[in-house]
Amino acid sequence: MRIYQEADYDAMSRRTAAIIAAEVIRKPDCVLGLATGSTPVGAYRQLAAWERGGLLSFGDVTTVNLDEYRGLGPDHEQSYRYFMRTNLFDQVDIRLERTHVPDGLAADPEAECRRYDALVESLGGTDLQLLGMGHNGHIGFNEPGPAFVRETHVVDLAKSTIEANARFFAHRDEVPRQAITMGIGTIMSAKRVLVAVSGADKAEAVRKAFCGPITPEMPASILQLHRDVVLVGDVAALSGLREAGVLQ
């Protein structure tokens, strides 16, 4: 695992964007696995600025997103399709037909999960999978539990996840209680995994994920078994790794 320790959120975002941009330049028709939430917003903003400046193009890139809330359509302001269009897709030259997000309104969610796994497999997996990390160690919406779930699946969101996401909704009761998420096996099939973390509130999760035992109670800990992981974090988020002696 390679670790980049950056001074603050802005520096973390630039480093994250640079790694993604390098993949796009190296392989213009690459498959990017993308994440939502507050952490990658700065990186997406930087990528859009570089694209506008003519430094890279997303014209041949294909994207697959990690997850989507069940019950939210693509035009709902809190859906992850809407998030991606607002923060990246509508800001760059990517072709929307090459962007993929699970269908939160699918009449048969189990069939949608199977379709999504088949899609990722048909693309040969992702060349680079961007991940954030929840306070409880979730990646995508793979919550702590008794076992790792390999396939894309419907998940009941943990109370801590609902509370963390409530700030994006007018009222806590509006936060969906379920989501469709890529499974651990789908995530681990990526050729490279890029984990971006920011803030002191993520320090304990980062320490447990990369210094503790591999357990489904800490979903991100499975990344210890991946052959190519890059961790980018600010000083605050990586403080637990410094305490554990992993970083100076």
Side-chain angles (χ1 to χ4, degrees), residues 163-205:
E163 291 174 349
N165 291 341
R167 68 188 187 277
F168 300 118
F169 293 80
H171 193 276
R172 183 181 183 280
D173 292 341
E174 296 179 7
V175 184
R177 269 41 183 179
Q178 290 187 318
I180 296 174
T181 183
M182 276 189 194
I184 293 296
T186 311
I187 292 171
M188 291 290 284
S189 70
K191 297 176 181 66
R192 177 183 295 179
V193 174
L194 170 60
V195 185
V197 288
S198 177
D201 57 330
K202 296 294 180 71
E204 183 64 7

Side-chain angles (χ1 to χ4, degrees), residues 61-101:
V61 169
T62 298
T63 67
V64 287
N65 263 74
L66 283 165
D67 42 31
E68 179 61 282
Y69 285 120
R70 273 206 70 203
L72 298 191
D75 295 324
H76 191 287
E77 290 185 358
Q78 297 305 328
S79 76
Y80 288 157
R81 166 61 77 174
Y82 188 95
F83 175 99
M84 291 306 307
R85 291 197 65 163
T86 301
N87 288 284
L88 184 64
F89 296 160
D90 288 349
Q91 313 304 320
V92 298
D93 60 344
I94 198 166
R95 288 183 277 177
L96 286 179
E97 65 270 20
R98 287 180 174 265
T99 66
H100 304 281
V101 181

Side-chain angles (χ1 to χ4, degrees), residues 133-139 142-144 205 209 217-221:
M133 187 186 303
H135 296 96
N136 61 3
H138 74 240
I139 48 177
N142 292 279
E143 301 281 13
E217 295 297 335
M218 173 55 62
S221 65

